[in-house]
Amino acid sequence: MSADGAARDDAEPHLTVELGDLGLDVGAHLLVQRALRAHGRARVRGTAATLAIDLPAWCRAHGHELERTSAGFAVTRGPVDRRRGAERAGTAAAPAEHAPAHWGLAARGALVEPGAPDLGLTLADRGAVWADEAARLYAQAAAAQWDPATAIPWDAPLDHPPEIEDAVVQVMTYLIENETAALLVPVRFLARLHPHFREVMQLLAIQAADEARHIEVFTRRARRTRDELGLSAADGQRSLATLFDEPDFAVASFLLAVLGEGSFLALLWFLRDHAPDPCTRELARLTAQDEARHVAFGLAHLGRHLAEDPSLRGRLAAAVERRHAALAHTAGLGADVFDALVLLAAGSWEPAALRRGHAAVVALAREMDAGRRQRLLRLGFETEHATALSGLHTRNFM
Ligand SMILES: [Fe+2]
Ligand SMILES: [Fe+2]
C-alpha cells in the first residue's frame, strides 16, 4: 500500500482505498473521491465505526453506485458530476467581449457551475466599460493612497484675515458637494458592473475611496476654523443632479470625468497656487493628483469605446447639448463661490489685488476651457465641435 492510503488490488483492475480508521466525517471522502476521479471505480476498506452508514449516504448524495463486497465496498463513479455542465468564465488573463449573467460573481477564469442566480449586473459588455489602462491605473492609485492624518500639515499657521478664511470655507463647501457627486455617480454604475471586468471594478472602487478622502480633507479644512460651513447653491446642485439622471455609463463618465473632473483639475491647481495657507495648498495638490487619474481612466475607456463604436461620439455631443438646455435657466457657478475664488486669489481687500484676483479667476475659466477642448480633441472631436461643446459645459465646473 502506498502512503496515500491507495493500493493496487492484484485481483481487480481498479484501486483499493484503505481508509484505516479515518471516517467520512473527518476527510475520508477525499480519498474516495480522488480514486474515483482517477479510475472511475474503487474498492473501499475501512474500520471507522460509522463507515457502513456514511459511505452509502455519501455515494447517494453524489450519485455514485455502491456495492457491498466481502472485504468492504466497491464504488463506481456515477453520471452526476458537479463539474459536468460547468463553464469557464472566460480566461483569467483577459476579459471576454461579453460577460453572461450566469457567470455572476465568479472569478474571471473560474469554472462556473450552472444555476448561479442572476444579479442584474447589466454593464456586461467589454466595449462599454473596458480600458487596457485600468490595471495600471488601479495599481498606481493603490500605491498613491495618502493618509489625510499625516499627509496634510493640519497644524500649519493660518495668518490670513478672517474674510479670506470665510472664502476658503465657502470654496471647501462647494468642493465637498461636487466631490460627493463624483463619489456617488460612478458608484451607481459600479453596482451594475459585471465583476468579470475586475480591473475596472477595482479602479472605480479605489476612485470612490479617493473621493471619500477628498470629502474628508475639505470638510476638515473648513472645520479647522468654523463650526458652520458656507452656502450650497440650488443651481450648483441642479447642475450635479443632471449627472445622476444620466443612465448611460459612457455618457455619464464623459460628462463627469472628462468634462467635469477635467475642469476640476484646473480648479485644484488654482487653489494650490493661490491658497492662503500651507494646509489648503497641500490638500489641493494631493486631491489634484488623484483627480488626474480619474480623468485618465475616463479618457482611456471612452477612447477605446469610440474606436469600437464611432456613433458614440454623436451621443456624447447630444448629452452635452441636452445638459446645457436643462441648465439654461440656472446661474451656473454661484456668486458666493466665484467671489470667494476672487478673494482667495486677491489675498487682500486692496483694489489692485482684487483686480488681480478677478483676472486670475477669468484666466482659470479660460484654462478649464482649453483643457476641455484638448481632451475633446483627444477623443477625436473636430476642433470647431470641441470648441462649441466645451463652451456648452456647465458653468458650475463639474
Ligand atoms: Fe475628488
Ligand atoms: Fe474624482
Side-chain angles (χ1 to χ4, degrees):
M1 194 181 79
S2 65
D4 59 7
R8 276 272 157 213
D9 186 325
D10 290 339
E12 295 285 340
H14 57 261
L15 218 74
T16 295
V17 183
E18 297 281 3
L19 300 178
D21 62 356
L22 186 70
L24 253 73
D25 55 336
V26 288
H29 70 286
L30 289 170
L31 288 170
V32 181
Q33 203 169 51
R34 179 172 181 238
L36 291 179
R37 266 200 203 129
H39 305 281
R41 189 167 154 80
R43 284 174 169 280
V44 178
R45 286 202 291 244
T47 58
T50 58
L51 186 65
I53 297 161
D54 290 349
L55 188 61
W58 182 83
C59 287
R60 264 197 312 282
H62 290 81
H64 304 312
E65 277 169 36
L66 177 112
E67 292 162 51
R68 283 170 198 277
T69 65
S70 53
F73 303 90
V75 182
T76 308
R77 187 170 63 190
V80 179
D81 184 336
R82 275 199 301 170
R83 294 196 177 209
R84 204 160 290 177
E87 172 189 329
R88 284 268 162 222
T91 61
E97 205 174 310
H98 173 76
H102 63 263
W103 287 356
L105 300 173
R108 193 164 71 219
L111 193 62
V112 190
E113 266 185 11
D118 182 345
L119 298 172
L121 304 166
T122 49
L123 266 178
D125 289 307
R126 187 177 61 196
V129 299
W130 185 251
D132 293 330
E133 290 84 344
R136 182 181 56 80
L137 287 170
Y138 171 73
Q140 220 178 63
Q145 295 293 298
W146 42 273
D147 178 359
T150 54
I152 312 262
W154 295 111
D155 298 327
L158 304 179
D159 44 23
H160 46 268
E163 285 144 312
I164 302 278
E165 180 62 10
D166 289 340
V168 171
V169 172
Q170 178 57 59
V171 171
M172 294 300 136
T173 306
Y174 161 83
L175 289 174
I176 292 163
E177 70 187 42
N178 281 270
E179 294 291 349
T180 303
L183 189 161
L184 292 178
V185 171
V187 159
R188 285 149 59 103
F189 290 101
L190 176 59
R192 291 200 286 115
L193 176 69
H194 200 300
H196 183 71
F197 305 101
R198 172 174 44 83
E199 294 85 342
V200 174
M201 173 180 73
Q202 291 170 303
L203 183 58
L204 288 178
I206 206 159
Q207 199 166 303
D210 288 342
E211 307 300 16
R213 202 170 47 239
H214 299 175
I215 292 167
E216 176 191 342
V217 295
F218 295 144
T219 305
R220 196 161 161 181
R221 173 62 189 87
R223 297 199 59 204
R224 229 192 111 178
T225 55
R226 299 284 187 272
D227 292 329
E228 306 295 342
L229 272 71
L231 179 79
S232 165
D235 280 353
Q237 292 218 37
R238 275 191 197 102
S239 176
L240 295 174
T242 56
L243 298 170
F244 282 79
D245 296 340
E246 184 47 63
D248 184 299
F249 177 60
V251 171
S253 46
F254 177 66
L255 295 176
L256 175 72
V258 175
L259 298 179
E261 290 176 306
S263 303
F264 246 58
L265 260 183
L267 175 61
L268 294 169
W269 291 329
F270 174 95
L271 287 177
R272 176 199 61 196
D273 296 343
H274 296 287
D277 60 282
C279 176
T280 307
R281 191 175 310 129
E282 189 57 11
L283 59 83
R285 188 185 72 80
L286 286 168
T287 53
Q289 261 177 18
D290 295 337
E291 289 308 331
R293 276 194 314 272
H294 307 173
V295 178
F297 174 60
L299 281 171
H301 82 84
L302 286 168
R304 192 181 197 282
H305 195 161
L306 282 163
E308 283 187 12
D309 174 15
S311 76
L312 171 63
R313 196 166 287 111
R315 284 196 284 133
L316 298 180
V320 176
E321 287 158 10
R322 217 168 38 239
R323 190 177 185 210
H324 176 74
L327 297 173
H329 301 295
T330 65
L333 187 70
D336 296 79
V337 179
F338 186 90
D339 292 348
L341 292 173
V342 170
L343 198 52
L344 266 188
S348 89
W349 290 98
E350 291 296 320
L354 286 172
R355 185 193 303 280
R356 272 199 312 277
H358 190 273
V361 177
V362 171
L364 165 65
R366 268 204 306 272
E367 193 190 332
M368 286 177 168
D369 179 54
R372 284 195 299 268
R373 278 186 283 129
Q374 183 231 327
R375 281 185 281 276
L376 287 164
L377 292 177
R378 263 189 67 185
L379 290 179
F381 286 88
E382 303 288 340
T383 308
E384 270 178 36
H385 200 191
T387 304
L389 288 177
S390 174
L392 293 180
H393 179 65
T394 172
R395 281 165 296 166
N396 183 54
F397 301 159
M398 182 75 88

